[in-house]
Each structure stands twice: as C-alpha cells, then as structure tokens.
Coordinates of all heavy atoms in Angstrom, one line a residue:
D10 N -6.7 -14.4 -6.3 CA -6.6 -15.7 -5.6 C -5.4 -15.7 -4.7 O -5.3 -16.6 -3.8 CB -6.5 -16.8 -6.6 CG -7.9 -17.1 -7.3 OD1 -8.9 -16.6 -6.7 OD2 -7.9 -17.6 -8.4
I11 N -4.4 -14.8 -4.9 CA -3.2 -14.9 -4.1 C -2.9 -13.6 -3.3 O -2.0 -13.5 -2.5 CB -2.0 -15.2 -5.0 CG1 -1.8 -14.2 -6.1 CG2 -2.1 -16.6 -5.5 CD1 -0.4 -14.3 -6.8
V12 N -3.7 -12.5 -3.6 CA -3.5 -11.2 -2.9 C -4.9 -10.8 -2.3 O -5.9 -10.8 -3.0 CB -3.0 -10.1 -3.9 CG1 -2.9 -8.8 -3.2 CG2 -1.7 -10.5 -4.5
Q13 N -4.8 -10.4 -1.0 CA -6.0 -9.9 -0.4 C -5.8 -8.5 0.1 O -4.8 -8.1 0.6 CB -6.4 -10.8 0.9 CG -7.7 -10.4 1.5 CD -8.1 -11.3 2.7 OE1 -7.2 -11.8 3.3 NE2 -9.4 -11.5 2.9
V14 N -6.8 -7.7 -0.2 CA -6.8 -6.3 0.2 C -7.7 -6.1 1.4 O -8.8 -6.5 1.4 CB -7.3 -5.3 -1.0 CG1 -7.2 -3.9 -0.6 CG2 -6.5 -5.6 -2.3
I15 N -7.1 -5.5 2.5 CA -7.8 -5.5 3.7 C -7.8 -4.0 4.3 O -6.7 -3.4 4.3 CB -7.1 -6.4 4.8 CG1 -7.1 -7.8 4.3 CG2 -7.8 -6.3 6.1 CD1 -6.2 -8.7 5.1
R16 N -8.9 -3.6 4.8 CA -9.0 -2.3 5.6 C -8.5 -2.6 7.0 O -9.0 -3.6 7.6 CB -10.4 -1.8 5.6 CG -10.5 -0.5 6.4 CD -12.0 0.0 6.6 NE -12.7 0.0 5.4 CZ -13.7 -0.8 5.0 NH1 -14.0 -1.8 5.8 NH2 -14.3 -0.7 3.9
T17 N -7.7 -1.8 7.5 CA -7.2 -2.0 8.9 C -7.6 -0.8 9.7 O -8.2 0.1 9.3 CB -5.6 -2.1 8.9 OG1 -5.1 -0.9 8.6 CG2 -5.1 -3.2 8.0
G18 N -7.2 -0.9 11.0 CA -7.3 0.3 11.8 C -6.1 1.2 11.6 O -5.3 1.0 10.7
C19 N -6.0 2.3 12.4 CA -5.0 3.3 12.2 C -3.6 2.7 12.5 O -3.4 1.9 13.4 CB -5.3 4.4 13.2 SG -4.1 5.7 13.2
F20 N -2.7 3.1 11.6 CA -1.3 2.7 11.8 C -0.5 3.6 12.7 O 0.6 3.3 13.1 CB -0.6 2.7 10.4 CG -0.9 1.6 9.5 CD1 -1.7 1.8 8.3 CD2 -0.6 0.3 9.8 CE1 -2.0 0.8 7.5 CE2 -0.9 -0.8 8.9 CZ -1.7 -0.5 7.8
G21 N -1.1 4.7 13.1 CA -0.5 5.6 14.1 C 0.5 6.6 13.5 O 1.3 7.2 14.2
F22 N 0.4 6.8 12.2 CA 1.3 7.8 11.5 C 0.4 8.7 10.6 O 0.7 8.8 9.5 CB 2.3 7.0 10.8 CG 3.6 7.7 10.4 CD1 4.1 8.7 11.2 CD2 4.2 7.4 9.2 CE1 5.3 9.3 10.9 CE2 5.4 8.0 8.9 CZ 5.9 9.0 9.7
C23 N -0.6 9.3 11.2 CA -1.6 10.0 10.5 C -1.1 11.1 9.6 O -1.6 11.4 8.6 CB -2.6 10.6 11.5 SG -3.4 9.3 12.5
E24 N 0.0 11.8 10.0 CA 0.5 12.9 9.2 C 1.0 12.5 7.9 O 1.1 13.3 7.0 CB 1.6 13.7 10.0 CG 2.9 13.0 10.0 CD 4.0 13.8 10.6 OE1 3.9 13.9 11.9 OE2 4.9 14.3 9.9
K25 N 1.2 11.2 7.7 CA 1.7 10.7 6.4 C 0.7 9.8 5.7 O 1.0 9.2 4.7 CB 3.0 9.8 6.6 CG 4.2 10.7 7.0 CD 4.6 11.6 5.9 CE 5.8 12.5 6.3 NZ 6.2 13.4 5.2
G26 N -0.6 9.9 6.2 CA -1.6 9.1 5.5 C -2.1 9.7 4.3 O -1.8 10.9 4.0
P27 N -2.9 9.0 3.5 CA -3.2 7.6 3.7 C -2.0 6.6 3.6 O -1.1 6.8 2.8 CB -4.2 7.3 2.6 CG -4.7 8.6 2.2 CD -3.6 9.6 2.4
I28 N -2.1 5.6 4.4 CA -1.0 4.6 4.5 C -1.5 3.3 3.9 O -2.6 2.8 4.1 CB -0.7 4.3 6.0 CG1 -0.3 5.6 6.8 CG2 0.4 3.2 6.1 CD1 1.0 6.2 6.4
V29 N -0.5 2.7 3.1 CA -0.8 1.3 2.6 C 0.5 0.5 2.9 O 1.6 0.9 2.7 CB -1.0 1.4 1.0 CG1 -1.0 0.0 0.5 CG2 -2.2 2.1 0.7
K30 N 0.2 -0.6 3.6 CA 1.4 -1.5 3.9 C 1.2 -2.8 3.2 O 0.2 -3.4 3.1 CB 1.3 -1.8 5.4 CG 2.5 -2.7 5.9 CD 2.4 -2.9 7.4 CE 3.5 -3.8 7.8 NZ 3.5 -4.1 9.2
M31 N 2.4 -3.3 2.6 CA 2.4 -4.5 1.9 C 3.0 -5.6 2.8 O 4.0 -5.4 3.4 CB 3.3 -4.3 0.6 CG 2.9 -3.2 -0.2 SD 1.3 -3.2 -0.9 CE 1.6 -4.4 -2.3
V32 N 2.3 -6.7 2.8 CA 2.8 -7.9 3.6 C 2.9 -9.1 2.7 O 2.0 -9.2 1.9 CB 1.7 -8.1 4.8 CG1 2.1 -9.4 5.6 CG2 1.6 -6.9 5.7
P33 N 3.9 -9.8 2.7 CA 4.8 -10.0 3.9 C 6.1 -9.2 3.9 O 6.9 -9.3 4.8 CB 5.2 -11.5 3.8 CG 5.2 -11.8 2.3 CD 4.1 -10.9 1.7
D34 N 6.4 -8.4 2.9 CA 7.7 -7.8 2.8 C 7.8 -6.5 3.6 O 8.8 -5.8 3.7 CB 8.2 -7.5 1.4 CG 7.4 -6.5 0.7 OD1 6.4 -6.0 1.2 OD2 7.8 -6.1 -0.5
N35 N 6.7 -6.1 4.3 CA 6.7 -4.9 5.2 C 7.0 -3.6 4.5 O 7.5 -2.7 5.2 CB 7.6 -5.2 6.4 CG 7.3 -4.4 7.6 OD1 6.2 -4.0 7.8 ND2 8.3 -4.1 8.4
T36 N 6.6 -3.5 3.3 CA 6.8 -2.2 2.6 C 5.7 -1.2 3.1 O 4.5 -1.6 3.2 CB 6.7 -2.3 1.1 OG1 7.8 -3.2 0.7 CG2 6.9 -1.0 0.4
F37 N 6.1 0.0 3.3 CA 5.2 1.0 4.0 C 5.1 2.2 3.0 O 6.0 2.9 2.8 CB 5.9 1.4 5.3 CG 5.1 2.3 6.2 CD1 3.9 1.8 6.8 CD2 5.5 3.6 6.4 CE1 3.2 2.6 7.7 CE2 4.7 4.4 7.3 CZ 3.6 3.9 7.9
Y38 N 3.9 2.3 2.4 CA 3.7 3.4 1.4 C 2.9 4.5 2.1 O 2.0 4.3 2.9 CB 2.9 3.0 0.2 CG 3.7 2.0 -0.7 CD1 3.2 0.8 -1.0 CD2 4.9 2.4 -1.2 CE1 3.9 -0.1 -1.9 CE2 5.7 1.6 -2.1 CZ 5.1 0.3 -2.4 OH 5.8 -0.5 -3.2
V39 N 3.4 5.8 1.9 CA 2.7 6.9 2.6 C 2.1 7.9 1.6 O 2.5 7.9 0.4 CB 3.8 7.7 3.5 CG1 4.3 6.8 4.6 CG2 4.9 8.2 2.7
Q40 N 1.2 8.7 2.1 CA 0.5 9.7 1.3 C 0.0 9.2 0.0 O 0.2 9.8 -1.1 CB 1.5 10.9 1.1 CG 1.8 11.6 2.5 CD 2.7 12.7 2.4 OE1 3.7 12.7 1.7 NE2 2.4 13.8 3.2
V41 N -0.6 8.0 0.0 CA -1.1 7.3 -1.1 C -2.3 8.0 -1.6 O -3.2 8.5 -0.8 CB -1.3 5.9 -0.8 CG1 -2.0 5.1 -2.0 CG2 -0.1 5.2 -0.4
K42 N -2.5 8.1 -2.9 CA -3.7 8.7 -3.5 C -4.4 7.6 -4.3 O -3.8 6.6 -4.6 CB -3.3 9.8 -4.5 CG -2.6 11.0 -3.8 CD -2.3 12.0 -4.9 CE -1.7 13.3 -4.2 NZ -0.8 13.1 -3.2
P43 N -5.7 7.7 -4.5 CA -6.5 6.7 -5.2 C -5.9 6.3 -6.6 O -5.9 5.2 -7.0 CB -7.9 7.3 -5.4 CG -8.0 8.3 -4.2 CD -6.6 8.8 -4.0
T44 N -5.3 7.3 -7.2 CA -4.6 7.1 -8.5 C -3.3 6.2 -8.4 O -2.8 5.8 -9.4 CB -4.3 8.4 -9.3 OG1 -3.6 9.2 -8.4 CG2 -5.6 9.1 -9.6
D45 N -2.8 6.1 -7.2 CA -1.6 5.3 -7.0 C -1.9 3.8 -7.0 O -0.9 3.0 -7.0 CB -0.9 5.7 -5.7 CG -0.4 7.1 -5.7 OD1 0.1 7.5 -6.8 OD2 -0.4 7.8 -4.7
A46 N -3.1 3.4 -6.9 CA -3.4 1.9 -6.7 C -2.9 1.1 -7.8 O -2.3 0.0 -7.6 CB -4.9 1.8 -6.5
E47 N -3.1 1.5 -9.0 CA -2.6 0.7 -10.2 C -1.1 0.6 -10.1 O -0.6 -0.5 -10.4 CB -3.1 1.4 -11.5 CG -2.6 0.6 -12.7 CD -3.1 -0.8 -12.9 OE1 -4.3 -1.1 -12.4 OE2 -2.4 -1.6 -13.5
D48 N -0.4 1.6 -9.8 CA 1.1 1.6 -9.8 C 1.5 0.6 -8.7 O 2.5 -0.2 -8.9 CB 1.7 2.9 -9.5 CG 1.7 3.9 -10.7 OD1 1.5 3.4 -11.8 OD2 1.9 5.1 -10.5
I49 N 0.9 0.6 -7.5 CA 1.2 -0.3 -6.4 C 1.1 -1.7 -6.9 O 2.0 -2.5 -6.7 CB 0.4 0.0 -5.2 CG1 0.8 1.4 -4.6 CG2 0.6 -1.1 -4.1 CD1 -0.1 1.9 -3.5
V50 N -0.1 -2.0 -7.5 CA -0.3 -3.4 -7.9 C 0.6 -3.8 -9.0 O 1.3 -4.9 -9.0 CB -1.8 -3.7 -8.3 CG1 -2.0 -5.0 -8.9 CG2 -2.7 -3.5 -7.0
R51 N 0.7 -3.0 -10.0 CA 1.5 -3.4 -11.2 C 3.0 -3.4 -10.8 O 3.7 -4.4 -11.2 CB 1.3 -2.3 -12.3 CG 2.1 -2.7 -13.6 CD 1.9 -1.6 -14.7 NE 2.4 -0.4 -14.3 CZ 1.7 0.7 -14.0 NH1 0.4 0.7 -14.3 NH2 2.2 1.8 -13.6
E52 N 3.5 -2.4 -10.2 CA 5.0 -2.4 -9.9 C 5.3 -3.3 -8.8 O 6.3 -4.1 -8.9 CB 5.4 -0.9 -9.6 CG 5.3 0.0 -10.7 CD 6.2 -0.4 -11.9 OE1 7.3 -0.8 -11.7 OE2 5.7 -0.3 -13.0
H53 N 4.6 -3.2 -7.6 CA 5.0 -4.0 -6.5 C 4.7 -5.5 -6.6 O 5.6 -6.3 -6.4 CB 4.4 -3.4 -5.2 CG 4.9 -3.9 -4.0 ND1 5.7 -3.1 -3.1 CD2 4.9 -5.1 -3.4 CE1 6.1 -3.9 -2.1 NE2 5.6 -5.1 -2.2
L54 N 3.5 -5.8 -7.0 CA 3.1 -7.2 -7.0 C 3.4 -7.9 -8.3 O 3.9 -9.0 -8.3 CB 1.6 -7.3 -6.7 CG 1.2 -6.8 -5.3 CD1 -0.4 -6.8 -5.2 CD2 1.7 -7.7 -4.3
V55 N 3.2 -7.2 -9.4 CA 3.4 -7.9 -10.7 C 4.9 -7.9 -11.1 O 5.5 -8.9 -11.5 CB 2.6 -7.2 -11.8 CG1 2.9 -7.8 -13.2 CG2 1.1 -7.4 -11.5
K56 N 5.5 -6.7 -11.0 CA 6.9 -6.6 -11.4 C 8.0 -6.8 -10.3 O 9.2 -6.9 -10.5 CB 7.1 -5.2 -12.1 CG 6.3 -5.1 -13.4 CD 6.6 -3.7 -14.0 CE 5.8 -3.6 -15.3 NZ 6.0 -2.3 -15.9

C-alpha cells in the first residue's frame, strides 16, 4: 500500500546492470541479482 515496484526504461549504465533505484532517497543499486530482492526490501525499506 505504500511501496510501488515499477519497470522502467534503461538507466544508461548497462555495464553495471541490472540496476535498481530507490525513490525518493535516490539510492542506486547495481549488479542486482534476483536473490537480492529480499535484502533490498528488508534492509532498505523495513530497517
């Protein structure tokens, strides 16, 4: 209800992809793997 996950276009930094950007704090995660999703949500959003 408070967090939306959105597919975007290219961020222009392909060599460091996959890229995940957190808004509104503008955190830029690089070389993300599918297994990192839980850590991103738990650590960044919850903690």
Side-chain angles (χ1 to χ4, degrees):
D10 292 337
I11 59 170
V12 177
Q13 186 177 30
V14 182
I15 302 169
R16 178 189 308 108
T17 68
C19 179
F20 286 111
F22 200 33
C23 300
E24 75 176 74
K25 291 295 181 179
I28 306 287
V29 172
K30 182 178 176 184
M31 308 297 283
V32 175
D34 71 350
N35 202 28
T36 299
F37 188 70
Y38 291 125
V39 297
Q40 297 176 316
V41 177
K42 295 179 178 40
T44 55
D45 294 324
E47 178 64 28
D48 285 346
I49 291 170
V50 172
R51 184 184 59 246
E52 293 299 317
H53 194 109
L54 296 172
V55 175
K56 296 182 180 179

